[in-house]
Amino acid sequence: FPDRDCCALVRPMNDELQLANLDSVPHDQLRPEFVQGVAQLVKFIGGKAQPKRFGTGLMTGPVLAGLVEAYVQAINNGAVPTIATAWQGVAESESRRAGDAAEAMYR
């Protein structure tokens, strides 16, 4: 990673019991400093993030999800994931999906 940044956030809340169950705490009970810090972090990331690419093409959400699925499947099967194989599978899947959509529109 040629560029790295660090962002310090305050604790979302002071109550240890609520902190342990943070996902069930209503948003309005979080510390305002935490909410503001997260909003600034999201804005910062959104400003620096670039679309994912493979070669010259942009990756859509379904394509990226397909690559992740292929990598996880390879790892779970004890194999070493390869970019070319995963990309070929995703490209074939996307081509089938586009063909099916075109056929449905034609009918």
Side-chain angles (χ1 to χ4, degrees):
F1 299 100
D3 295 324
R4 289 179 265 180
D5 291 294
C6 181
C7 177
L9 296 171
V10 298
R11 291 175 62 163
M13 52 191 10
N14 292 322
D15 184 347
E16 291 291 330
L17 292 176
Q18 284 186 314
L19 192 58
N21 298 306
L22 190 58
D23 54 343
S24 63
V25 174
H27 186 265
D28 62 351
Q29 291 184 13
L30 299 174
R31 291 174 62 189
E33 301 91 345
F34 175 77
V35 174
Q36 291 169 351
V38 168
Q40 289 173 346
L41 178 60
V42 167
K43 185 176 179 181
F44 175 77
I45 292 171
K48 290 197 89 162
Q50 296 292 317
K52 300 297 177 215
R53 296 182 179 272
F54 190 83
T56 59
L58 291 176
M59 278 195 215
T60 63
V63 170
L64 187 57
L67 282 175
V68 170
E69 186 177 325
Y71 291 166
V72 169
Q73 186 176 14
I75 292 168
N76 285 343
N77 290 331
V80 176
T82 58
I83 293 173
T85 304
W87 181 253
Q88 182 178 354
V90 169
E92 289 171 1
S93 174
E94 284 297 300
S95 293
R96 276 192 303 276
R97 187 185 62 75
D100 292 345
E103 184 180 346
M105 290 292 288
Y106 180 74
R107 290 182 182 187

